[in-house]
């Protein structure tokens, strides 16, 4: 099976000054609309190894308020803001914290993962930030549409003498011993979509109530029209009798 694409990481081991530290890198695979911390969501790769990643893409579509999922359509807001702003809950919380930090301290508190060009607060200014991020989470709901990448990683030593693909991994010169190779495969070509939908559509609500009314009271559309016809006839004859008596 041919890889979807491959990556070669040059670790440049000779540039490291700490011989007691192991050379490596941390990789995280995620949606371009997501803000992740690779130290929590990633995996470690080391030079001289071949990593095979089997990837599966999963999408989920939620419903906005008043439904239980209470999602937020970040893409629509992003378009209204001219292609700027958060695209998921984490970025929304980061933007919220950034705005509060600028409002309270006129600088950005370290640790806020939000792209900006403002000044970072120094140690003396950190006391100015008094805010509970739970307020941001209440304002920033989960996105109505999000993509998740599920994957498993297999690691093995890079067999330099047996490589017969990907242009023999750049002719496999000795420098490759300082490099890590990653091959990306699709575990399954189709995208799995979990879509939430209302339990009852508008037309289904009328059908639902109509069915119960018919079952409980024995009322049907024919019976309703028959009743209206009888009421109309009775009213007509009553008015006719009144006119004759006058």
């Amino acid at each position: 099976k041919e890889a979807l694409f491959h990556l070669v990481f040059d670790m440049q081991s000779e540039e490291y000054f700490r011989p007691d530290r192991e050379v490596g890198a941390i990789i995280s695979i995620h949606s371009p609309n997501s803000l992740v911390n690779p130290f929590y969501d990633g995996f470690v790769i080391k030079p001289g190894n071949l990593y095979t990643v089997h990837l599966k893409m999963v999408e989920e579509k939620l419903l906005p308020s008043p439904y239980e999922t209470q999602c937020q359509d970040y893409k629509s807001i992003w378009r209204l803001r001219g292609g700027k702003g958060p695209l998921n809950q984490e970025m929304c919380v980061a933007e919220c914290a950034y705005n509060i930090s600028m409002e309270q301290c006129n600088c950005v508190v370290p640790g806020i993962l939000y792209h900006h060009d403002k000044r970072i607060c120094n140690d003396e200014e950190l006391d100015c930030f008094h805010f509970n991020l739970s307020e941001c989470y209440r304002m920033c709901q989960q996105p109505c549409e999000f993509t998740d990448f599920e994957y498993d990683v297999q690691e093995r030593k890079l067999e330099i003498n047996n490589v017969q693909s990907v242009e023999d991994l750049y002719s496999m010169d000795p420098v490759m011993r300082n490099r890590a190779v990653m091959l990306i495969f699709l575990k399954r070509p189709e995208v799995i979509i979990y879509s939430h939908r209302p339990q009852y559509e508008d037309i289904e609500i009328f059908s639902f109530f109509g069915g119960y009314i018919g079952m409980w009271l024995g009322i049907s559309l024919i019976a309703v029209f028959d009743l209206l016809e009888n009421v109309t006839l009775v009213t007509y004859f009553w008015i006719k009798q009144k006119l004759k008596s006058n």
Side-chain angles (χ1 to χ4, degrees):
K1 185 178 179 180
E2 188 174 350
L4 185 65
F5 60 91
H6 74 279
L7 300 170
V8 179
F9 300 89
D10 188 356
M11 301 296 181
Q12 298 182 346
S13 304
E14 67 279 0
E15 299 293 331
Y16 284 76
F17 296 101
R18 296 286 301 272
D20 58 321
R21 297 287 180 88
E22 194 171 10
V23 177
I26 300 177
I27 304 296
S28 178
I29 301 175
H30 59 89
S31 166
N33 297 332
S34 299
L35 186 67
V36 300
N37 187 337
F39 290 96
Y40 293 102
D41 303 313
F43 57 93
V44 177
I45 63 173
K46 301 174 184 178
N49 290 339
L50 174 66
Y51 295 88
T52 304
V53 180
H54 294 276
L55 194 64
K56 180 175 68 174
M57 190 164 69
V58 179
E59 290 184 3
E60 188 164 3
K61 299 179 180 180
L62 307 179
L63 295 171
S65 180
Y67 296 100
E68 186 177 353
T69 51
Q70 294 187 2
C71 67
Q72 192 163 334
D73 190 356
Y74 290 103
K75 288 185 178 179
S76 297
I77 299 173
W78 180 78
R79 294 189 190 99
L80 290 175
R81 293 174 58 173
K84 298 179 181 179
L87 284 168
N88 56 38
Q89 186 180 31
E90 291 78 12
M91 294 173 67
C92 178
V93 171
E95 183 186 54
C96 173
Y98 164 78
N99 291 333
I100 298 298
S101 177
M102 290 299 299
E103 180 182 331
Q104 294 183 354
C105 308
N106 199 29
C107 59
V108 182
V109 175
I112 295 179
L113 298 177
Y114 186 76
H115 177 72
H116 64 87
D117 55 359
K118 303 299 182 181
R119 183 176 60 86
I120 302 295
C121 300
N122 55 42
D123 294 339
E124 289 76 19
E125 295 174 310
L126 293 180
D127 293 336
C128 65
F129 189 72
H130 301 287
F131 185 71
N132 190 347
L133 284 181
S134 60
E135 297 293 331
C136 290
Y137 278 100
R138 274 195 287 270
M139 183 181 68
C140 300
Q141 301 294 332
Q142 57 185 333
C144 290
E145 294 185 14
F146 61 90
T147 303
D148 187 27
F149 290 93
E150 299 177 0
Y151 57 89
D152 55 75
V153 183
Q154 297 175 350
E155 176 188 27
R156 67 176 185 269
K157 284 294 181 182
L158 193 57
E159 299 292 340
I160 296 180
N161 297 326
N162 297 327
V163 175
Q164 297 179 353
S165 61
V166 194
E167 293 77 37
D168 287 336
L169 291 177
Y170 308 162
S171 301
M172 296 311 302
D173 55 81
V175 179
M176 287 299 296
R177 298 181 185 276
N178 291 327
R179 296 178 182 175
V181 178
M182 182 182 298
L183 302 178
I184 310 293
F185 295 88
L186 279 179
K187 185 179 292 187
R188 51 193 308 171
E190 65 272 12
V191 178
I192 300 175
I193 300 177
Y194 297 101
S195 183
H196 296 244
R197 59 182 294 271
Q199 188 171 1
Y200 297 104
E201 300 288 349
D202 294 341
I203 189 64
E204 291 177 320
I205 293 176
F206 289 105
S207 300
F208 178 79
F209 284 109
Y212 271 105
I213 290 173
M215 184 176 65
W216 290 341
L217 304 178
I219 297 176
S220 65
L221 192 61
I222 297 175
V224 170
F225 278 108
D226 187 56
L227 176 64
L228 291 175
E229 182 185 12
N230 291 332
V231 170
T232 303
L233 289 174
V234 170
T235 305
Y236 171 75
F237 285 114
W238 180 78
I239 294 174
K240 190 175 181 180
Q241 290 294 329
K242 281 287 186 181
L243 292 175
K244 283 184 178 180
S245 61
N246 293 334

